[in-house]
Amino acid sequence: MNYLIPLFSLRYWFDSTPIPFLPIIDKIILFVLFGFIIGGIGCLVYRKMAKGLEKYLKKLLRRYANLLITMGAVGLMLYAFTWQRVPFLSMRFFFLLWAILLAYWFWIILRFQLKELPIQKKKRHEQMERDRWLPKKKRK
């Protein structure tokens, strides 16, 4: 419980030369950040390898891959600054800012997935139903 007390002080977040993370926290952060990058690459590979994926699902997978790879790389860069103890760039505030940006980007993708994507699918389905009865051009 004593580990949570520093989280509520400004000195913890804005110290220009912070103390290193605990070894177990260090390993967890590294594992999660590499997991982001591997997950993003996995999304890209699945997007390329899967046959018959809808255009919308491919777009969604690309957005998730961009999120995971970008935030994983930026997080690893912040981790490297902390590990090297770069005076200004190793402030914990940047990890807090990184987490806020990650949550905001994820919220944007979820909003696209849950609100905009069904509307686009419905419009596409209605257009296909309407175009089904229209005459087609003859091929020569």
Side-chain angles (χ1 to χ4, degrees):
M1 192 64 180
N2 289 337
Y3 296 117
L4 295 178
I5 293 172
L7 293 176
F8 299 108
S9 73
L10 289 177
R11 177 136 175 91
Y12 177 80
W13 295 105
F14 293 102
D15 189 10
S16 62
T17 55
I19 59 172
F21 291 117
L22 294 173
I24 187 72
I25 301 296
D26 224 15
K27 290 175 185 167
I28 290 172
I29 290 172
L30 202 58
F31 180 76
V32 168
L33 293 175
F34 274 118
F36 275 19
I37 292 176
I38 292 170
I41 293 171
C43 284
L44 289 177
V45 168
Y46 178 72
R47 182 176 175 255
K48 291 286 184 188
M49 301 295 276
K51 303 284 186 211
L53 279 181
E54 290 183 2
K55 175 181 163 184
Y56 307 110
L57 186 56
K58 285 184 177 186
K59 186 184 292 187
L60 188 64
L61 283 172
R62 189 186 76 232
R63 287 183 180 205
Y64 277 119
N66 288 342
L67 167 74
L68 292 172
I69 291 172
T70 303
M71 294 311 271
V74 170
L76 282 174
M77 187 175 63
L78 289 175
Y79 176 81
F81 290 149
T82 302
W83 188 70
Q84 290 290 328
R85 294 189 177 192
V86 177
F88 177 73
L89 296 174
S90 64
M91 291 184 354
R92 302 278 202 271
F93 169 74
F94 290 117
F95 276 107
L96 186 63
L97 186 62
W98 175 86
I100 291 169
L101 288 173
L102 173 70
Y104 179 69
W105 195 353
F106 185 68
W107 177 76
I108 288 173
I109 294 174
L110 274 179
R111 187 182 66 194
F112 172 76
Q113 181 179 359
L114 299 175
K115 289 190 177 184
E116 296 174 24
L117 203 58
I119 293 170
Q120 289 179 4
K121 282 183 180 181
K122 184 178 177 184
K123 283 182 181 178
R124 176 75 176 144
H125 180 70
E126 289 172 356
Q127 182 183 7
M128 287 178 66
E129 285 295 319
R130 186 187 67 226
D131 291 348
R132 187 174 85 180
W133 300 105
L134 295 176
K136 313 255 185 310
K137 290 184 179 180
K138 293 184 181 181
R139 295 183 186 180
K140 293 182 181 182

